[in-house]
Amino acid sequence: MPLTGEYAPSTSDWAREQAELIENSGGTEGLTLQGKPVIVLTTKGAKTGLLRKTALMRVEHDGEYAVVASLGGAPKHPVWYWNIKAEPHVELRDGTANKDYTAREVSGAEKAVWWERAVEVWPDYANYQTKTSREIPVFVLTPR
Ligand SMILES: C[C@H](OP(=O)(O)OC[C@@H](O)[C@@H](O)[C@@H](O)Cn1c2nc(=O)[nH]c(=O)c-2cc2ccc(O)cc21)C(=O)N[C@@H](CCC(=O)N[C@@H](CCC(=O)O)C(=O)O)C(=O)O
């Protein structure tokens, strides 16, 4: 059952542009960043209930995905982190497929496995973690 609600574009151009290019093309354009695959995560705003769309690196394994709340190693979590914490039902667009998932924050050995997969896709994640004392969260998305 897809998320319901009104889409609200991000006030940050950078945050908005690639997500909208992918969404508006039905998942046929704008699918990479520096040659690496990008997905679009749809979350329900924790305060507004509006639908938020966020471009993120594609980290997939056996039909599950990880999303990494890195924000380039900034000291604070990206805002979409709080949306997932409030409502774990999310949508993920991987190319032309847009499906429903339940997201859970992972830790310990499970996080280590997914972190390795994420760094393999996007090595900069390891650099981001060295830039901040904030432990960069990882969510695993399981099909609903
Ligand atoms: C700027 C802010 O964005 P954000 O949610 O903090 O997300 C910041 C970034 O993570 C986001 O821009 C990502 O798309 C950046 N980004 C990646 N960011 C990452 O953290 N990890 C990645 O792997 C990643 C990859 C990536 C690839 C391509 C690309 O173009 C961007 C990429 C934002 O959109 N704010 C909105 C509000 C958003 C929102 O969700 N509001 C909530 C309130 C939430 C609350 O405050 O509790 C609501 O509506 O209720 C606004 O200012 O209007």
Side-chain angles (χ1 to χ4, degrees):
M1 179 71 178
L3 288 169
T4 55
E6 184 192 336
Y7 166 57
S10 167
T11 55
S12 149
D13 288 347
W14 176 59
R16 185 178 64 245
E17 278 161 12
Q18 185 158 15
E20 287 195 346
L21 175 60
I22 295 171
E23 283 291 314
N24 295 341
S25 68
T28 60
E29 290 175 39
L31 296 170
T32 60
L33 176 69
Q34 295 170 24
K36 296 297 180 67
V38 168
I39 55 93
V40 175
L41 179 76
T42 300
T43 58
K44 200 144 178 84
K47 290 179 181 154
T48 65
L50 295 169
L51 296 188
R52 303 295 188 167
K53 294 188 180 289
T54 308
L56 298 167
M57 298 320 295
R58 179 185 185 276
V59 180
E60 186 274 345
H61 181 78
D62 282 350
E64 290 189 314
Y65 291 81
V67 289
V68 179
S70 51
L71 197 56
K76 286 175 58 177
H77 295 329
V79 176
W80 58 266
Y81 171 89
W82 302 108
N83 294 348
I84 297 182
K85 296 300 278 185
E87 174 49 80
H89 177 188
V90 301
E91 288 178 18
L92 183 140
R93 171 180 289 284
D94 185 358
T96 56
N98 189 54
K99 294 180 184 165
D100 290 278
Y101 295 83
T102 299
R104 59 190 164 81
E105 189 169 357
V106 290
S107 59
E110 187 181 19
K111 178 176 181 180
V113 169
W114 280 101
W115 181 257
E116 196 177 323
R117 289 172 182 152
V119 170
E120 195 176 330
V121 170
W122 192 251
D124 264 347
Y125 282 136
N127 301 333
Y128 301 156
Q129 186 56 83
T130 65
K131 282 172 59 181
T132 178
S133 56
R134 170 177 71 98
E135 186 175 338
I136 294 177
V138 175
F139 291 96
V140 170
L141 276 57
T142 305
R144 288 172 74 89

